[in-house]
Amino acid sequence: MKTLYNFSAGPSVLPKDVLLDAQKNLIDYEGSGMSVMEMSHRAKEFDDIIKKAESLFHAVLGIPDSYKVLFLQGGATQQFAMVPMNLLAKKGKADYILTGNFSTAAYKEAQLFGKQISIAGNTKEENFKRIPESGELKLDPDADYVHICENNTIFGSKWKYLPNTGSVPLVSDMSSCILSEPIDVTKYGLIYAGAQKNIAPAGLTVVIIRKDLIGTPLPGTPTMLNYKVQAENDSMKNTPPCWAIYISKLVLEHIQKLGGLEEMKRRNEAKAKLLYDYLDSTDFYKTHVISKDRSIMNVTFRTGNDELDAKFANESKAAGMSNLKGHRDVGGMRASIYNAMPKEGVEFLIEFMKKFEKENRK
Ligand SMILES: *Cc1c(COP(=O)(O)O)cnc(C)c1O
C-alpha cells in the first residue's frame, strides 16, 4: 500500500491499529457471524458496544456521573440548532463568542430560536487571527448559556483559557480538539463534537450534557432533537449510527492503551512544537494565528504569494501528503495534525517545507 500522510481537517486520519482491528472483525464480529454493520441495534452484541463506548467516554475524559453522554446524528452543525432549542426555554437569551466561521454559524442558527442572542466577543475584524482576551468579553450574567468554539478548525486558533461565565452554563463546540488533551468537564454545561476529526468516521455526533440542563426544550422541539428523549432512551430512540459508535469504542480503547489523554497531549504538543518552531525560524512562511492562541490540531500558514501557495498544495500532494491546501476563507495552507497523525508525518512535512523554501525563495 502507498504511504500517504493525510492532513485532512475532517473526515480525517484514524489510528492504523483501529482500522486493522475493524478490518479483522469486519465480516465476523467476534464470532457473532455478522458484521457490526449488519446487526440489529437491539442485539446483545451491539448493546455491549454502545454501553462500553459510553463508559469509555466517562473513563477517558473523566466525565462525572452528573453528565450524560449522547450518541447523536446530524453533525456538529445540527447542535447549532439543538443547543438553543433545548437550553433557551428559561430566559430566551444566550451569548455567543465569535472566533471563526463555525461559531458564527452557530450564532446565526441560534437567532432562529431566541429573542436575545448576543455577540459577547468577536475577532472577525482581524480575520479571526486571535481569541478575545477575557477583558474584552461582554457576558450577560442572566443568559441561559454562553457558547464558544474551543478549537477553530479553519483558522487554526484555540481557546487557552475559558471565559468566566459564573453560574451561566458554558457550551463548547469541541469538534476538532476533543480527546486531544485532558479537560475538566465540570467547567462546562454542554460539550459537543462531530466525530469525524478525533473520534470516529463521520455520522456520529457526541454530546456531553450536565443532567440538570436536560428537560426543558422550547415548545415544538422535534422528538429526535430533544435531549431528554435521547437521554431517556440511551441514544437508542431510533437506530443510532452503529458503525461509527463501534469505531469510537475502538479509538477510545486505543487511547487508553497508549496512556490516556495526558499522553495524547504530550504527543500532540510535541508534534505541534516541531511544526511551529520551524515556522517561527523562517520568514518564508507566516502563520495566520498569533503565537499564544495557536491550535495544536490545525496549523495554518502561508507564503504570502497565492501562486506559491497553490504550487505548495500541488507539489506536497505529489510528494505523498494530502489535503494541505487551506480553507477558502483563510487561503494558504493548513496542516491538520489530529491524534492519529504520527510524528513521522509532521517530520516528513517539515522536510518538504524546507526543500520547498530552498527551491522557491527569491
Ligand atoms: C467540522 C466542524 C464542524 C462541522 O461539523 P459537521 O459534523 O460537519 O456538522 C463544526 N464545528 C467545528 C469546530 C468543526 O471542526
CSV table of all heavy atoms in Angstrom, one decimal, residues 74-78 80 102 149 151-153 173-176 192 194 196-197 205 338, ligand 1:
chain,number,residue,atom,x,y,z
A,74,GLY,N,-26.5,14.0,12.7
A,74,GLY,CA,-26.8,15.4,12.2
A,74,GLY,C,-25.5,16.3,12.3
A,74,GLY,O,-25.6,17.5,11.9
A,75,GLY,N,-24.4,15.8,12.7
A,75,GLY,CA,-23.2,16.5,12.8
A,75,GLY,C,-23.2,17.6,13.9
A,75,GLY,O,-24.2,17.9,14.5
A,76,ALA,N,-22.0,18.2,14.0
A,76,ALA,CA,-21.9,19.4,14.9
A,76,ALA,C,-22.9,20.5,14.5
A,76,ALA,O,-23.4,21.2,15.4
A,76,ALA,CB,-20.5,19.9,15.0
A,77,THR,N,-23.1,20.6,13.2
A,77,THR,CA,-23.9,21.6,12.7
A,77,THR,C,-25.4,21.5,13.2
A,77,THR,O,-26.0,22.5,13.5
A,77,THR,CB,-24.0,21.6,11.2
A,77,THR,OG1,-22.6,21.6,10.7
A,77,THR,CG2,-24.7,22.8,10.6
A,78,GLN,N,-25.8,20.3,13.4
A,78,GLN,CA,-27.2,20.2,14.0
A,78,GLN,C,-27.2,20.6,15.4
A,78,GLN,O,-28.3,21.1,15.9
A,78,GLN,CB,-27.7,18.7,13.9
A,78,GLN,CG,-29.1,18.6,14.4
A,78,GLN,CD,-29.8,17.3,13.9
A,78,GLN,OE1,-30.1,17.2,12.7
A,78,GLN,NE2,-29.9,16.3,14.7
A,80,PHE,N,-25.9,23.3,16.4
A,80,PHE,CA,-26.1,24.7,16.4
A,80,PHE,C,-27.6,25.0,16.7
A,80,PHE,O,-27.9,26.1,17.2
A,80,PHE,CB,-25.7,25.3,15.0
A,80,PHE,CG,-24.2,25.1,14.7
A,80,PHE,CD1,-23.8,25.4,13.4
A,80,PHE,CD2,-23.3,24.7,15.6
A,80,PHE,CE1,-22.4,25.3,13.0
A,80,PHE,CE2,-21.9,24.5,15.2
A,80,PHE,CZ,-21.5,24.8,13.9
A,102,PHE,N,-17.4,28.6,12.3
A,102,PHE,CA,-18.3,27.7,13.0
A,102,PHE,C,-19.1,28.4,14.1
A,102,PHE,O,-20.3,28.2,14.2
A,102,PHE,CB,-17.6,26.4,13.5
A,102,PHE,CG,-17.2,25.5,12.3
A,102,PHE,CD1,-15.9,25.2,12.2
A,102,PHE,CD2,-18.1,25.0,11.5
A,102,PHE,CE1,-15.5,24.4,11.1
A,102,PHE,CE2,-17.7,24.1,10.4
A,102,PHE,CZ,-16.4,23.8,10.3
A,149,CYS,N,-16.6,28.2,20.4
A,149,CYS,CA,-16.0,27.1,19.6
A,149,CYS,C,-14.5,27.0,20.1
A,149,CYS,O,-13.8,27.9,19.9
A,149,CYS,CB,-16.1,27.4,18.1
A,149,CYS,SG,-15.3,26.2,17.1
A,151,ASN,N,-11.8,25.0,19.5
A,151,ASN,CA,-10.7,25.0,18.6
A,151,ASN,C,-11.2,25.3,17.2
A,151,ASN,O,-12.2,24.6,16.7
A,151,ASN,CB,-10.1,23.6,18.6
A,151,ASN,CG,-8.9,23.5,17.7
A,151,ASN,OD1,-7.8,23.9,18.1
A,151,ASN,ND2,-9.0,22.9,16.5
A,152,ASN,N,-10.7,26.4,16.6
A,152,ASN,CA,-11.2,26.9,15.3
A,152,ASN,C,-10.5,26.2,14.2
A,152,ASN,O,-9.4,26.6,13.8
A,152,ASN,CB,-11.1,28.4,15.3
A,152,ASN,CG,-12.0,29.0,16.4
A,152,ASN,OD1,-13.2,29.1,16.2
A,152,ASN,ND2,-11.4,29.3,17.5
A,153,THR,N,-11.1,25.2,13.7
A,153,THR,CA,-10.6,24.2,12.7
A,153,THR,C,-10.1,24.9,11.4
A,153,THR,O,-9.1,24.6,10.9
A,153,THR,CB,-11.7,23.3,12.3
A,153,THR,OG1,-12.5,22.9,13.5
A,153,THR,CG2,-11.1,22.0,11.7
A,173,ASP,N,-18.2,23.9,21.5
A,173,ASP,CA,-18.0,23.1,20.3
A,173,ASP,C,-16.6,22.6,20.3
A,173,ASP,O,-15.7,23.4,20.1
A,173,ASP,CB,-18.3,23.9,19.0
A,173,ASP,CG,-18.1,23.1,17.7
A,173,ASP,OD1,-17.6,22.0,17.8
A,173,ASP,OD2,-18.5,23.7,16.7
A,174,MET,N,-16.4,21.3,20.6
A,174,MET,CA,-15.1,20.7,20.7
A,174,MET,C,-14.8,19.8,19.5
A,174,MET,O,-13.9,18.9,19.7
A,174,MET,CB,-14.9,20.0,22.0
A,174,MET,CG,-14.6,20.8,23.2
A,174,MET,SD,-13.9,19.8,24.5
A,174,MET,CE,-14.3,20.9,25.8
A,175,SER,N,-15.4,20.0,18.4
A,175,SER,CA,-15.3,19.0,17.3
A,175,SER,C,-13.9,18.7,16.9
A,175,SER,O,-13.6,17.5,16.6
A,175,SER,CB,-16.0,19.6,16.0
A,175,SER,OG,-17.4,19.7,16.3
A,176,SER,N,-13.0,19.7,16.9
A,176,SER,CA,-11.7,19.5,16.4
A,176,SER,C,-10.6,19.4,17.5
A,176,SER,O,-9.4,19.4,17.2
A,176,SER,CB,-11.3,20.5,15.3
A,176,SER,OG,-11.5,21.8,15.8
A,192,TYR,N,-20.1,19.5,22.7
A,192,TYR,CA,-20.5,18.7,21.6
A,192,TYR,C,-19.4,18.6,20.6
A,192,TYR,O,-18.5,19.4,20.5
A,192,TYR,CB,-21.8,19.2,20.9
A,192,TYR,CG,-21.7,20.5,20.3
A,192,TYR,CD1,-21.3,20.7,19.0
A,192,TYR,CD2,-22.1,21.7,21.0
A,192,TYR,CE1,-21.3,22.0,18.4
A,192,TYR,CE2,-22.1,22.9,20.4
A,192,TYR,CZ,-21.7,23.1,19.1
A,192,TYR,OH,-21.7,24.3,18.5
A,194,GLY,N,-18.6,16.8,16.5
A,194,GLY,CA,-18.8,15.9,15.3
A,194,GLY,C,-17.6,14.9,15.5
A,194,GLY,O,-16.5,15.2,15.8
A,196,GLN,N,-15.9,13.1,13.3
A,196,GLN,CA,-15.0,12.8,12.2
A,196,GLN,C,-13.6,13.5,12.2
A,196,GLN,O,-12.9,13.4,11.3
A,196,GLN,CB,-15.7,13.1,10.8
A,196,GLN,CG,-16.0,14.6,10.6
A,196,GLN,CD,-17.3,15.1,11.2
A,196,GLN,OE1,-17.8,14.5,12.1
A,196,GLN,NE2,-17.8,16.2,10.7
A,197,LYS,N,-13.3,14.1,13.4
A,197,LYS,CA,-12.0,14.7,13.5
A,197,LYS,C,-11.1,13.8,14.4
A,197,LYS,O,-10.0,13.5,14.0
A,197,LYS,CB,-12.0,16.1,13.9
A,197,LYS,CG,-12.3,17.1,12.8
A,197,LYS,CD,-13.7,17.6,12.8
A,197,LYS,CE,-14.0,18.5,11.6
A,197,LYS,NZ,-15.1,19.4,11.8
A,205,THR,N,-22.3,12.2,16.2
A,205,THR,CA,-22.1,13.4,17.0
A,205,THR,C,-22.2,13.1,18.5
A,205,THR,O,-23.2,12.6,18.9
A,205,THR,CB,-23.1,14.5,16.6
A,205,THR,OG1,-23.2,14.6,15.2
A,205,THR,CG2,-22.7,15.9,17.2
A,338,TYR,N,-4.2,15.8,13.8
A,338,TYR,CA,-5.0,15.2,14.9
A,338,TYR,C,-4.3,14.1,15.6
A,338,TYR,O,-3.2,13.7,15.2
A,338,TYR,CB,-6.3,14.7,14.3
A,338,TYR,CG,-7.2,15.8,13.8
A,338,TYR,CD1,-7.5,15.9,12.4
A,338,TYR,CD2,-7.7,16.9,14.6
A,338,TYR,CE1,-8.4,16.9,11.9
A,338,TYR,CE2,-8.5,17.9,14.1
A,338,TYR,CZ,-8.8,17.9,12.8
A,338,TYR,OH,-9.6,18.9,12.3
B,1,LIG,C1,-16.1,20.2,11.4
B,1,LIG,C2,-16.6,21.1,12.4
B,1,LIG,C3,-18.0,21.5,12.5
B,1,LIG,C4,-19.0,20.9,11.5
B,1,LIG,O1,-19.2,19.6,11.8
B,1,LIG,P1,-20.3,18.7,11.0
B,1,LIG,O2,-20.2,17.4,11.7
B,1,LIG,O3,-19.8,18.6,9.6
B,1,LIG,O4,-21.6,19.4,11.1
B,1,LIG,C5,-18.4,22.3,13.5
B,1,LIG,N1,-17.6,22.9,14.3
B,1,LIG,C6,-16.2,22.6,14.3
B,1,LIG,C7,-15.3,23.2,15.3
B,1,LIG,C8,-15.7,21.7,13.3
B,1,LIG,O5,-14.4,21.4,13.3
